[in-house]
Amino acid sequence: MPRRRHDAQGTSGTRCLGPTLQPEPAMVAGLAVQAPGCSQRASDLLQDTFVRLLKRDEWIQAQEPRAYLMTVAKRVLIDHWRRERIEQAYLEALQQLPEVEAPSPETQHQLLELLVEIDRRLDGLPTLTRQAFLYAQLDGMTYSEIALTLNMSVSSVKRHLIRATSRCYFPDMTG
């Protein structure tokens, strides 16, 4: 039987998520194994999972609520790993800068958040589209240079860049 949590007013937490979506010790332990570090990180990931569930109503119609919960939990974990990779690459790039050119800690945090958001928005695009976008934005390559590098026409490069740029600027409209 799932354990019920009570809030400050003593009402059951199952009213919000239903008894089938209460966290079980086995799930927390599974996240702890997959999320090395500490049990607090596993708890944070579990909390992120439930926050993501509460932001959506899809779980209400799920045929298999527990399976849906595990799918969401896995996606949260993947997002966590992706963020760690981006953060590590960013920190390595910062180490290459002379100390006087390094951005302030606040700016570093804002830039990291921006990189994570751009990565999220580019996720799901074809590899060539992402590569063309990154060559243009990070390496400053021209359409012709990108076309040569990716072995495609300039018009194809333009199409890829329009698609990636649209995804970055209008993520809700481009799906």
Side-chain angles (χ1 to χ4, degrees):
M1 178 114 183
R3 297 167 98 200
R4 293 180 183 230
R5 295 185 179 193
H6 297 276
D7 60 21
Q9 288 80 30
T11 59
S12 171
T14 58
R15 179 172 29 181
C16 202
L17 289 176
T20 58
L21 290 180
Q22 295 308 302
E24 295 178 353
M27 181 180 182
V28 176
L31 281 175
V33 168
Q34 292 182 2
C38 59
S39 61
Q40 285 84 14
R41 182 177 291 169
S43 294
D44 289 345
L45 292 172
L46 187 62
Q47 178 179 342
D48 291 348
T49 299
F50 281 94
V51 167
R52 196 174 286 187
L53 280 172
L54 289 172
K55 287 182 178 178
R56 298 182 161 158
D57 289 334
E58 297 166 3
W59 66 270
I60 295 170
Q61 291 91 18
Q63 297 283 333
E64 299 289 332
R66 287 189 188 274
Y68 184 75
L69 174 64
M70 290 307 297
T71 299
V72 172
K74 287 177 185 176
R75 289 179 183 158
V76 167
L77 188 59
I78 289 168
D79 289 347
H80 170 75
W81 287 334
R82 177 183 286 148
R83 181 184 178 86
E84 278 187 344
R85 281 195 334 266
I86 292 169
E87 187 170 0
Q88 184 61 39
Y90 178 65
L91 292 174
E92 289 171 7
L94 280 178
Q95 289 176 349
Q96 303 299 319
L97 289 175
E99 197 171 318
V100 295
E101 291 181 25
S104 69
E106 180 181 336
T107 301
Q108 288 179 24
H109 176 74
Q110 290 171 344
L111 290 172
L112 178 61
E113 292 300 317
L114 180 61
L115 288 172
V116 168
E117 180 62 20
I118 290 170
D119 179 71
R120 188 188 66 74
R121 290 183 184 193
L122 293 178
D123 185 44
L125 288 175
T127 301
L128 286 175
T129 303
R130 285 193 317 269
Q131 287 177 327
F133 180 80
L134 294 174
Y135 281 140
Q137 298 300 314
L138 299 180
D139 297 333
M141 293 173 71
T142 65
Y143 290 176
S144 299
E145 292 169 333
I146 296 169
L148 284 172
T149 302
L150 296 178
N151 195 28
M152 65 174 64
S153 68
V154 171
S155 62
S156 291
V157 169
K158 289 179 182 178
R159 264 195 320 277
H160 285 293
L161 291 177
I162 288 170
R163 185 171 181 191
T165 303
S166 296
R167 177 75 68 93
C168 285
Y169 286 108
F170 310 107
D172 296 333
M173 297 174 68
T174 57

